[in-house]
Amino acid sequence: MTTHIESEEHKALRAAVAALGRRYGREYLTRTVAEGKPLTELWSEAGKLGYLGVNLPEAYGGGGGGIGELSIVLEELGAAGCPLLMLVVSPAICGTVISRFGTEAQKRQWLPGIADGTRLMAFGITEPDAGSNSHRITTTARRDGADWVLTGRKVFISGVDMADAVLIVGRTEDARTGRLKPCLFIVPTDAEGFHKRPIDMELAAAEKQFELVLDDVRLPAEALVGGGEDAGLLQLFAGLNPERIMTAAFAIGMGRYALAKAVDYARDRTVWKAPIGAHQAIAHPLAQAHIDLELARLMTQKAATLYDAGDDIGAGEAANMAKYAAGEACVRAVDQAVHTLGGNGLTREYGLASLITAARVARIAPVSREMILNYVSHQTLGLPKSY
């Protein structure tokens, strides 16, 4: 009996998405970024082909798969040089939270559009003074009759200019204890009191980053995800594990793209008698980069498998490890690719230099590598908590 790490369906999905990616490629992404536009054509086609909603329930227009399938889509687009960052946000975080915890009305209203790409939802958790400490979130929601009123600020929120709504993490006061507890709200981007300001980034990406100000944004009762106030923490973690898994896939795809460019160059570039790839000083670091990316992919597959099987606790550990491993592997692969090309690695023609900045994103967001090491040392190894 032959055992395969991936099913035939997963292999077929990889091949199909890779073919789509090749039709667009790095040139499309670079041109679109230079024009200051979003990746609308690729997003729309991926939606029509069913790739954007592959993880969402079939009853609401999705593919009926899981984060395992969606991570394949993102990885393969990344390996082709044209990753869609909003895959991490709209179907993986927001789509997952709504499909698991949303009311029937919320599912009907949002999931079909998220699945086919005609609607997009951003995700707002990070705040100027909270950072990695979600317990310091100060965006608050108070009841006013049947309505909710939201006040607060968010930063580094991706793709708000393209989004129909933002899934905002706020806090409400517990009537029993008086303590603030997390809750998630669907906030339309055209709501009165909702203000966005682009953040000037050195990072060259099609998806812009925004600061949000919520100035007494009035929302109907049905804007609260699930309609109840007691599942906020569960909802939050249900969204954060897919975010880590998808960030890992994003990093692996980028690392694979950079590595492939370097391998092609090392195979052909001849300065003395043999191609430079014949020299171990060039070949071995590229081989090491490949090994690191493959190991990160295995952990990403493990995390996705656990999550899709409903093991949230096991998936939490694996998702953090996958994100850490993929971030490190991506940075090293990009660095080695640029180094292999020498001066050519910094030219626009070869398109690797912009990845030096982009690769660092997976080390920083959505959680820093240091916070992952805190998580593993405390949760996995049982060492005392340092924070």
Side-chain angles (χ1 to χ4, degrees):
M1 178 180 165
T2 305
T3 302
H4 297 289
I5 293 295
E6 281 195 330
S7 67
E8 293 304 318
E9 289 85 356
H10 280 188
K11 289 176 185 174
L13 178 62
R14 274 194 191 279
V17 176
L20 172 66
R22 282 192 298 273
R23 285 201 284 111
Y24 284 86
R26 192 75 188 171
E27 192 178 317
Y28 163 74
L29 183 139
T30 305
R31 183 178 69 252
T32 309
V33 169
E35 293 170 355
K37 296 177 181 176
L39 303 172
T40 308
E41 298 87 357
L42 176 55
W43 183 267
S44 178
E45 186 167 353
K48 285 173 185 165
L49 292 169
Y51 299 146
L52 301 183
V54 72
N55 64 308
L56 299 175
E58 288 182 274
Y60 302 96
I67 293 299
E69 286 77 15
L70 194 64
S71 65
I72 287 172
V73 173
L74 182 54
E75 183 192 334
E76 290 304 325
L77 289 176
C82 50
L84 292 170
L85 175 64
M86 294 308 289
L87 273 172
V88 180
V89 181
S90 193
I93 302 174
C94 303
T96 295
V97 168
I98 291 170
S99 64
R100 279 186 67 171
F101 296 99
T103 63
E104 185 60 32
Q106 287 167 345
K107 291 176 186 178
R108 283 201 309 268
Q109 183 181 359
W110 289 102
L111 294 182
I114 289 174
D116 67 17
T118 56
R119 305 195 86 181
L120 193 141
M121 193 178 285
F123 178 64
I125 182 170
T126 306
E127 294 190 358
D129 299 318
S132 296
N133 186 359
S134 57
H135 297 290
R136 287 189 65 183
I137 285 175
T138 57
T139 296
T140 53
R142 59 182 172 82
R143 277 204 180 274
D144 185 18
D147 294 345
W148 289 99
V149 179
L150 255 65
T151 306
R153 285 173 67 206
K154 300 289 181 182
V155 287
F156 298 116
I157 311 305
S158 304
V160 181
D161 55 332
M162 302 181 285
D164 301 282
V166 184
L167 187 62
I168 293 283
V169 181
R171 302 178 83 183
T172 59
E173 189 175 286
D174 190 307
R176 294 182 298 273
T177 64
R179 297 170 71 177
L180 292 175
K181 58 186 180 182
C183 52
L184 279 71
F185 291 90
I186 300 170
V187 182
T189 50
D190 60 0
E192 190 175 342
F194 180 97
H195 306 288
K196 66 180 186 292
R197 183 184 66 82
I199 300 171
D200 194 14
M201 305 288 289
E202 286 280 354
L203 181 68
E207 302 84 7
K208 296 179 177 65
Q209 300 295 313
F210 290 87
E211 178 182 359
L212 304 182
V213 176
L214 303 163
D215 186 10
D216 286 344
V217 175
R218 182 171 291 274
L219 300 168
E222 55 267 25
L224 178 65
V225 173
E229 296 178 48
D230 292 322
L233 206 57
L234 277 175
Q235 293 171 7
L236 186 55
F237 286 109
L240 295 184
N241 283 334
E243 183 181 33
R244 284 153 173 68
I245 295 167
M246 291 295 287
T247 302
F250 183 85
I252 293 163
M254 187 187 300
R256 283 176 54 199
Y257 173 82
L259 182 61
K261 287 281 185 189
V263 169
D264 284 346
Y265 189 87
R267 199 181 282 127
D268 296 334
R269 171 81 165 157
T270 303
V271 181
W272 281 278
K273 292 179 180 177
I276 61 171
H279 304 302
Q280 290 178 348
I282 299 291
H284 283 186
L286 295 177
Q288 183 69 53
H290 175 69
I291 291 169
D292 290 343
L293 288 167
E294 283 294 301
L295 291 172
R297 185 203 270 183
L298 273 174
M299 184 53 81
T300 304
Q301 289 170 324
K302 176 181 178 178
T305 300
L306 290 170
Y307 185 83
D308 290 336
D311 183 356
D312 285 339
I313 294 172
E317 178 187 74
N320 274 293
M321 290 180 177
K323 188 265 175 192
Y324 181 95
E328 297 303 300
C330 177
V331 168
R332 286 195 294 265
V334 167
D335 183 69
Q336 195 57 46
V338 171
H339 201 66
T340 300
L341 270 68
N344 282 330
L346 299 175
T347 63
R348 288 193 190 276
E349 179 188 353
Y350 285 93
L352 289 175
S354 62
L355 298 183
I356 297 170
T357 309
R360 298 205 72 83
V361 171
R363 269 186 173 172
I364 298 166
V367 59
S368 71
R369 56 181 176 171
E370 289 75 19
M371 285 305 294
I372 289 177
L373 293 174
N374 279 336
Y375 178 95
V376 172
S377 58
H378 174 62
Q379 297 286 345
T380 304
L381 302 182
L383 294 170
K385 200 172 185 179
S386 63
Y387 58 96

